[in-house]
Amino acid sequence: YGTVKAYCTRVGEGPFPTELIPDGPQSIGYHLGTVGAEYGTTTGRQRRCGWLDIPQMQYSCLINGFSAINLTKLDVLTGLDEIKLGVSYKHQGKYLKSMPACLKSLSESEVEYEILPGWKEDISKCKTFEELPENAQNYVLRVQELLGVPIRWVGVGPNRLEQIDRGEKWDTSRD
């Protein structure tokens, strides 16, 4: 199994293609960092936050052989009008088939995004996948579809028990 947040975070230097700069309380980068409590445990510094990077996740799924995913912190996306998924990279005008191994190429790459509608409803009390707002369900299903790996668990709140277990009856196809 693999675990991933519903958005990306990073600590320290280096390329972060989907990074959202937290330039004020109205910015999405600020929203992800504060609502998601993205602060270093030792230093207290704010982590870098950005949209979910699908090529990066596809690579992670490939090399780790995940059979299912635990998608955490879906609740942090609540309140956003739209949510972007970084679905591919372009380097020097050409689409890349996967995440580049070279950090220089990664830092020079442009991200192509797919935009999904957000949701406003509080999801922290949801106990089943069907209780999630339709747009939240669509987000999870789209990530699952792009990764080709089932998302079995969905985190709907900051506490350990605020999680939906979809069980073993799901598959990667969309209805």
Side-chain angles (χ1 to χ4, degrees):
Y1 302 124
T3 299
V4 64
K5 295 175 189 173
Y7 54 95
C8 281
T9 59
R10 182 173 174 141
V11 191
E13 299 294 318
F16 188 171
T18 64
E19 183 172 14
L20 296 162
I21 307 301
D23 54 357
Q26 302 304 316
S27 73
I28 296 169
Y30 181 87
H31 172 93
L32 296 177
T34 54
V35 176
E38 297 294 349
Y39 299 94
T41 22
T42 305
T43 64
R45 283 183 292 190
Q46 190 170 16
R47 291 186 185 105
R48 298 163 65 191
C49 298
W51 297 119
L52 190 58
D53 187 325
I54 296 298
Q56 183 183 73
M57 277 307 305
Q58 288 169 330
Y59 180 72
S60 182
C61 289
L62 174 72
I63 64 170
N64 291 295
F66 298 143
S67 57
I69 298 285
N70 175 16
L71 185 70
T72 66
K73 295 195 169 196
L74 184 66
D75 56 299
V76 174
L77 301 179
T78 299
L80 299 177
D81 293 326
E82 60 182 30
I83 300 165
K84 294 183 180 181
L85 289 170
V87 294
S88 62
Y89 297 133
K90 275 175 90 171
H91 184 255
Q92 297 178 346
K94 296 180 183 172
Y95 284 98
L96 301 177
K97 293 182 181 182
S98 63
M99 187 177 113
C102 172
L103 290 179
K104 184 175 186 301
S105 295
L106 182 61
S107 68
E108 294 170 349
S109 294
E110 297 174 43
V111 180
E112 296 253 322
Y113 290 99
E114 186 173 308
I115 301 172
L116 301 171
W119 59 91
K120 304 289 184 196
E121 302 90 336
D122 176 17
I123 64 171
S124 65
K125 304 288 187 265
C126 295
K127 301 292 182 209
T128 67
F129 187 73
E130 294 71 27
E131 291 176 26
L132 289 172
E134 183 179 357
N135 289 346
Q137 289 181 37
N138 288 338
Y139 180 81
V140 172
L141 293 173
R142 183 62 180 140
V143 171
Q144 175 178 272
E145 181 179 29
L146 290 166
L147 296 180
V149 177
I151 295 176
R152 177 173 176 174
W153 301 275
V154 180
V156 294
N159 297 315
R160 189 178 305 206
L161 297 176
E162 293 174 329
Q163 179 171 274
I164 294 169
D165 183 351
R166 296 174 66 200
E168 295 183 12
K169 60 184 178 284
W170 35 248
D171 63 32
T172 55
S173 62
R174 292 188 66 135
D175 296 326

